[in-house]
Amino acid sequence: MVYPAHHRRIVEDLMGGKFILSNEDHYNSLKENEKFYQEFFKLSFDLDMAMKPEFCYLISKDTQENFSRDVCIFVAVLCYELDKDGQNFMEMLDYHEFNFEEVDRFFENSSFIDLIESNKAIKDQDGRRTLINGMARRNIVHKSFEDRFIFTQAHRVFIDFAKELAMRKMAVSPNENNATVSQS
């Protein structure tokens, strides 16, 4: 069987938990052969492939890994602290170059200290550096220097997840809605 160009790299990257970004060579081959790869990952590994204009990644229905959870918590705390500091966190995630010292300051002075201290991936500087290095290996951030990084467009997966979670939390069941109206 003849596979599309860059097949091995596409499979290795996606199976390794990496986001394939639109500026990478093998993204174009993936996009051109999207239907093939949708079927390939579903039939071979029972994984769904999410293809976005800026990136591509795999989704598993049954996962026990904690990395995504740790990234979600990291991004959530960082966004909260940026917002509390009066900064537009979406603009900061899209365009700002962060340095470890700046991130450490936000986490060390956070009002979510109990959450931070209970999560080994973000509770101290070493844990955060390890998490950020893991995010770099998966194309969620790009390290511009050893102590500096920018977020790639892949961070939107975690923002969208947080948004979806918040919307579910804010949703009111029909019975609760009727009870509110009848009490008025």
Side-chain angles (χ1 to χ4, degrees):
M1 175 171 198
V2 176
Y3 291 104
H6 307 286
H7 176 73
R8 183 183 189 115
R9 185 171 177 203
I10 289 167
V11 173
E12 287 175 352
D13 282 358
L14 290 174
M15 291 301 292
K18 193 171 187 180
F19 288 77
I20 297 178
L21 305 176
S22 62
N23 63 350
E24 296 180 291
D25 293 340
H26 55 311
Y27 176 87
N28 290 331
S29 179
L30 181 60
K31 187 162 181 65
E32 289 168 6
N33 298 286
E34 182 177 352
K35 185 174 171 61
F36 167 79
Y37 282 109
Q38 293 279 355
E39 292 174 10
F40 174 82
F41 285 110
K42 190 63 172 173
L43 293 173
S44 300
F45 306 103
D46 196 26
L47 298 171
D48 295 319
M49 187 180 83
M51 190 79 184
K52 306 289 182 182
E54 300 92 4
F55 54 86
C56 179
Y57 62 101
L58 293 179
I59 303 167
S60 173
K61 294 177 205 142
D62 183 36
T63 181
Q64 296 294 324
E65 62 89 25
N66 294 324
F67 183 78
S68 295
R69 179 207 61 201
D70 294 340
V71 171
C72 283
I73 294 169
F74 176 86
V75 170
V77 170
L78 182 60
C79 288
Y80 179 82
E81 296 303 327
L82 288 167
D83 186 59
K84 190 171 87 178
D85 196 43
Q87 301 182 54
N88 181 325
F89 65 85
M90 286 305 294
E91 282 183 14
M92 294 293 284
L93 292 181
D94 283 338
Y95 305 112
H96 182 71
E97 180 180 64
F98 292 90
N99 64 59
F100 287 167
E101 185 178 307
E102 173 185 28
V103 170
D104 288 339
R105 235 183 354 265
F106 280 127
F107 278 76
E108 289 163 5
N109 297 314
S110 177
S111 55
F112 289 102
I113 197 69
D114 292 340
L115 174 65
I116 292 167
E117 288 179 352
S118 70
N119 183 304
K120 71 178 184 174
I122 62 172
K123 78 178 191 177
D124 58 28
Q125 293 175 351
D126 290 339
R128 288 188 291 273
R129 281 163 181 64
T130 300
L131 181 65
I132 291 166
N133 287 333
M135 290 170 27
R137 282 190 301 278
R138 290 170 177 86
N139 280 341
I140 300 166
V141 300
H142 171 74
K143 289 181 71 176
S144 44
F145 294 98
E146 190 55 36
D147 66 338
R148 296 179 186 189
F149 65 93
I150 58 172
F151 281 92
T152 68
Q153 291 302 310
H155 79 276
R156 293 189 181 271
V157 169
F158 303 96
I159 296 296
D160 290 345
F161 174 77
K163 194 184 310 181
E164 182 182 312
L165 185 62
M167 295 303 282
R168 276 192 261 145
K169 283 276 204 194
M170 291 173 34
V172 179
S173 73
N175 292 339
E176 289 175 11
N177 195 20
N178 290 338
T180 306
V181 172
S182 63
Q183 292 175 359
S184 302

